[in-house]
């Protein structure tokens, strides 16, 4: 049993974790940077410690400061949230060696899934369909050209230590492949300290479908359905929804079974997300990568399953057995999330931090807002620009869109520039309304609007 959990994060996810702890009767410790002294997570936790300067390196990524804070406060466990240290296997190891439970998977699983080449290999061996491509690192231009012969163009070069779109290169010809190969390798070395790259066939217009899984320490694993995260800009998701408008019951079951099979094979524990690409033309589904953290978009899964993912993550870390069997999990209704960012969507999404003079959060039936904002709060410029998650839950997708429209109209964050006006335009788009979209929908949408 945990008596006290330290939250190694900030913003809305720190609040989300504090709420779960309070309902479980667990005390909480907030850590914060000098830039976050007026933050709500500092106010709402039972205790709070300043751990360093505003730069992430000095505070939320400062492993020794965080471990010291856990020791000073006699915390039993650390919840890393998402981002920062959430997928750092070294941090998870340091926690364990200091006798503090890391609320997440075992370090070996974080490390394994952090290597996208290894992840592909393991999942392929388990019989999951993986995107056609190299099964080992591609070490030379000659090897790369060999794969191009076999697979045909277009191809994509990805960093083994990448993920989330960083360090990727799309190639349409031998000439481009050769020139991109060396730059991809050296970029990967600079960005991740690992120059290994691999090659995949590039799918032109897939949907991004991810499956939420939860596993305990005793080999029990369930999946909680999919999220469609195809609506994104520069690999930043903006709208997520479940169920996916592009997936039917049969396919949902099949992808869910793949996700459970793959995570069972590695004896995974804690929450996790298996990412797939779905190609509507061929109706093929391919495993892409696995995330070993709780994700930003987890609330939409909570809304349609009635399962509290953060509580389950804490309980499984405490060594409790999964309280539900797959047969008892049902998906009810539709849920959708819009990420409200401090970015000027009318001006190339430039960051727009500053002081909030007036705030009106939407509410009423079907509306959930996960946010750390309050009137008078100053959004610091040092961190990601997420201000709030607007989560809508309704019986049908059509009703979701109606509720979303009125919730966006109610939402006021003055005088900051946000992504709210952008969502107001997207929900008027015929293809979006019909659920006909893929991973390049937003690029096209933005391009068309800018040309008008
Ligand atoms: C791909 C792909 C097409 N084919 N891989 C982008 C994020 C990173 N996790 C992997 N990504 C992609 N990998 C192959 N073989 C297209 C993307 C991609 C994408 C994926 C998910 C959501 C949005 C995306 C937007 C552009 C490209």
């Amino acid at each position: 049993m945990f008596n006290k959990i330290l939250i190694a994060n900030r913003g809305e996810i720190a609040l989300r974790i504090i709420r779960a702890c309070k309902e479980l009767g667990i005390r909480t410790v907030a850590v914060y940077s000098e830039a976050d002294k007026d933050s709500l997570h500092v106010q709402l936790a039972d205790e709070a410690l300043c751990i360093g300067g505003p730069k992430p390196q000095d505070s939320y990524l400062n492993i020794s400061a965080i471990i010291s804070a856990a020791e000073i406060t006699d915390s039993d466990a650390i919840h890393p949230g998402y981002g920062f240290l959430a997928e750092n296997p070294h941090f998870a190891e340091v926690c364990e060696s200091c006798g503090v439970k890391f609320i997440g998977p075992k370090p070996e699983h974080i490390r394994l899934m952090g290597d996208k080449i290894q992840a592909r290999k393991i999942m392929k061996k388990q019989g999951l369909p993986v995107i056609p491509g190299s099964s080992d690192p591609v070490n030379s231009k000659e090897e790369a050209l060999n794969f191009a012969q076999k697979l045909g163009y277009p191809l994509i070069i990805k960093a083994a230590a990448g993920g989330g779109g960083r360090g990727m290169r799309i190639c349409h010809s031998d000439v481009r492949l050769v020139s991109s190969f060396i730059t991809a390798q050296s970029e990967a070395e600079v960005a991740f300290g690992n120059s290994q790259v691999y090659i995949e066939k590039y799918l032109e217009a897939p949907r991004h479908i991810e499956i939420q899984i939860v596993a305990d320490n005793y080999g029990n694993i369930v999946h909680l359905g999919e999220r469609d995260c195809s609506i994104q800009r520069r690999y930043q998701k903006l709208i997520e929804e479940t169920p996916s408008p592009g997936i039917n019951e049969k396919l949902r079951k099949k992808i869910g079974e793949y996700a459970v099979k793959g995570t069972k094979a590695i004896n995974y524990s804690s929450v996790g997300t298996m990412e797939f690409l779905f190609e509507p033309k061929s109706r093929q589904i391919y495993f892409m990568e696995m995330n070993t953290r709780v994700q930003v978009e987890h609330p939409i899964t909570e809304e349609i399953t009635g399962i509290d993912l953060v509580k389950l993550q804490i309980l499984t870390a405490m060594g409790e057995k999964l309280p539900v069997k797959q047969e008892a999990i049902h998906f009810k209704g539709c849920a959708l999330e819009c990420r409200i960012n401090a970015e000027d969507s009318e001006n190339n999404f430039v960051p727009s931090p500053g002081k909030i003079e007036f705030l009106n959060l939407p509410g009423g039936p079907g509306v959930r807002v996960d946010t750390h904002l309050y009137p008078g709060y100053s959004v610091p410029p040092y961190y990601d620009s997420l201000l709030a998650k607007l989560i809508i839950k309704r019986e049908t997708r059509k009703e979701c869109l109606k509720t979303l429209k009125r919730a966006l109209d109610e939402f006021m964050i003055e005088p900051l520039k946000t992504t709210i006006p952008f969502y107001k335009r997207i929900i008027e788009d015929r293809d979006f309304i019909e659920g006909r979209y893929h991973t390049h929908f937003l690029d096209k949408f933005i391009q068309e609007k800018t040309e008008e």
Side-chain angles (χ1 to χ4, degrees), residues 20-232:
C21 289
K22 286 197 172 173
E23 292 183 13
L24 290 169
I26 300 170
R27 295 179 58 81
T28 51
V29 178
V31 292
Y32 62 98
S33 74
E34 284 160 18
D36 277 339
K37 67 175 174 37
D38 297 322
S39 287
L40 220 42
H41 76 286
V42 174
Q43 290 290 316
L44 292 187
D46 295 304
E47 294 169 67
L49 269 78
C50 183
I51 51 164
K55 284 195 230 116
Q57 282 300 342
D58 295 334
S59 45
Y60 301 106
L61 290 172
N62 185 340
I63 294 180
S64 55
I66 291 168
I67 296 287
S68 301
E71 284 175 344
I72 292 166
T73 55
D74 200 20
S75 299
D76 305 299
I78 296 181
H79 197 306
Y82 51 68
F84 297 121
L85 296 168
E87 289 174 287
N88 182 324
H90 171 67
F91 178 63
E93 272 166 1
V94 173
C95 288
E96 304 294 281
S97 70
C98 294
V100 184
K101 193 91 199 149
F102 175 81
I103 301 177
K106 295 187 263 304
E108 65 193 82
H109 289 143
I110 304 178
R111 189 165 282 125
L112 190 63
M113 291 300 125
D115 182 335
K116 308 299 168 185
I117 298 175
Q118 289 303 321
R120 266 172 70 81
K121 210 174 225 180
I122 286 175
M123 295 310 162
K124 190 175 178 187
K125 200 170 145 208
Q126 292 309 315
L128 272 67
V130 301
I131 303 169
S134 64
S135 38
D136 287 292
V138 177
N139 293 313
S140 67
K141 290 182 282 198
E142 291 71 26
E143 270 185 58
L145 287 167
N146 260 332
F147 272 106
Q149 282 280 328
K150 267 200 290 188
L151 296 167
Y153 289 102
L155 294 176
I156 184 165
I157 308 173
K158 295 183 177 181
R166 293 175 309 162
M168 300 186 339
R169 278 225 151 51
I170 299 157
C171 309
H172 291 271
S173 68
D174 283 354
V175 174
R176 283 301 181 85
L177 181 66
V178 167
S179 64
S180 294
F181 182 76
I182 301 294
T183 30
Q185 269 191 331
S186 47
E187 272 181 19
E189 178 65 42
V190 172
F192 315 111
N194 174 356
S195 65
Q196 285 187 355
V197 298
Y198 62 109
I199 292 179
E200 283 177 353
K201 181 85 187 170
Y202 180 67
L203 311 178
E204 306 258 19
R207 292 184 91 112
H208 173 127
I209 306 288
E210 58 182 34
I211 303 277
Q212 178 71 54
I213 63 107
V214 193
D216 64 20
N217 301 340
Y218 314 98
N220 304 302
I221 306 193
V222 295
H223 77 82
L224 301 184
E226 84 281 10
R227 296 183 288 257
D228 193 318
C229 304
S230 306
I231 306 280
Q232 58 80 49

